[in-house]
Amino acid sequence: EAEVAQSPRYKITEKSQAVAFWCDPISGHATLYWYRQILGQGPELLVQFQDESVVDDSQLPKDRFSAERLKGVDSTLKIQPAELGDSAMYLCASSGRTGGSVYEQYFGPGTRLTVT
Amino acid sequence: QKEVEQDPGPLSVPEGAIVSLNCTYSNSAFQYFMWYRQYSRKGPELLMYTYSSGNKEDGRFTAQVDKSSKYISLFIRDSQPSDSATYLCASYSSASKIIFGSGTRLSIRP
């Protein structure tokens, strides 16, 4: 069964350092999402891509966060510099044209970030 | 006020019991309603989604939406220990992104 891949699964970094997360969506899925999930809360959308274009990045803290999906396939989310408040689970999800409804988002296992 | 509100629990019930999980939402434009299940240290997985009001059944799970009261429910029949997880409700309209509730942590006691 096709899955969304994310790496690393866990990341510990010191504040002011740079971190990067990688996501490989389900093959053929045109839409890719990055979410942040703070412990005890639901996921909150950071950025949404349609192919290689950003559709929504209204909640992305652009002074320190950046995201790209250069070839419309895999994606990278970067934080520089990391702050203590960035400690959270970063989830990638994809949805699209290959099977299922476009509204069905398939989530990866997430990257648990701890900033010390 | 959050657009989607959910009681965080935790909720603990004995195996075999019927579980009722509930959410309320404030945006009357929301048309699509989903329930996700999230096991510890995993990403959410879609359980069910419904459009507009009504019921939808899938095996032991029934999703119910009452748009007049802006109330979303998920019922689990014959609950199993493997159902122990956090359940997230979510809603959106064609013009909005998906808004998730904060999740209800459910534990099924053997």
Side-chain angles (χ1 to χ4, degrees):
Chain A
E1 184 176 300
E3 294 181 342
V4 175
Q6 288 188 250
S7 68
R9 293 292 310 276
Y10 304 92
K11 179 70 177 178
I12 301 174
T13 190
E14 294 181 348
K15 64 179 181 178
S16 79
Q17 296 298 303
V19 290
F21 313 129
W22 176 80
C23 172
D24 191 12
I26 292 172
S27 179
H29 277 192
T31 310
L32 185 147
Y33 312 81
W34 283 103
Y35 287 90
R36 177 170 58 189
Q37 185 176 24
I38 296 170
L39 192 64
Q41 297 183 23
E44 290 186 308
L45 182 69
L46 291 174
V47 61
Q48 177 182 340
F49 289 92
Q50 182 69 27
D51 298 309
E52 67 274 11
S53 301
V54 173
V55 172
D56 184 350
D57 64 355
S58 57
Q59 298 303 310
L60 189 70
K62 298 181 189 64
D63 56 335
R64 299 185 299 107
F65 286 64
S66 64
E68 60 183 15
R69 194 184 183 198
L70 293 177
K71 297 182 180 178
V73 181
D74 59 339
S75 176
T76 302
L77 178 70
K78 297 179 181 177
I79 307 174
Q80 181 175 17
E83 295 181 353
L84 294 177
D86 296 331
S87 295
M89 174 82 89
Y90 290 83
L91 293 161
C92 178
S94 70
S95 66
R97 307 181 190 106
T98 56
S101 166
V102 70
Y103 309 115
E104 292 182 47
Q105 295 188 20
Y106 295 86
F107 283 83
T111 296
R112 168 73 66 188
L113 173 67
T114 301
V115 182
T116 62
Chain B
Q1 181 193 8
K2 291 185 179 180
E3 287 188 276
V4 177
E5 299 269 10
Q6 189 172 6
D7 186 336
L11 181 62
S12 179
V13 301
E15 183 175 355
I18 295 175
V19 176
S20 173
L21 302 169
N22 306 294
C23 289
T24 58
Y25 65 96
S26 58
N27 190 336
S28 58
F30 284 159
Q31 300 166 292
Y32 302 92
F33 306 92
M34 290 86 71
W35 283 96
Y36 285 81
R37 178 174 60 195
Q38 186 172 24
Y39 290 114
S40 182
R41 299 189 186 90
K42 297 286 181 76
E45 58 176 325
L46 181 67
L47 273 178
M48 302 179 70
Y49 70 93
T50 55
Y51 174 73
S52 194
S53 282
N55 292 2
K56 185 172 183 179
E57 189 173 318
D58 185 0
R60 296 184 296 110
F61 298 87
T62 300
Q64 192 172 79
V65 177
D66 182 345
K67 291 196 76 179
S68 62
S69 58
K70 297 190 179 67
Y71 206 76
I72 312 163
S73 300
L74 178 71
F75 300 97
I76 308 174
R77 291 184 300 278
D78 187 25
S79 56
Q80 305 293 310
S82 60
D83 295 327
S84 297
T86 295
Y87 289 80
L88 299 156
C89 60
S91 302
Y92 70 106
S93 71
S94 57
S96 79
K97 59 191 174 191
I98 293 178
I99 305 296
F100 286 87
S102 57
T104 298
R105 194 151 49 94
L106 173 66
S107 174
I108 309 297
R109 306 189 303 270

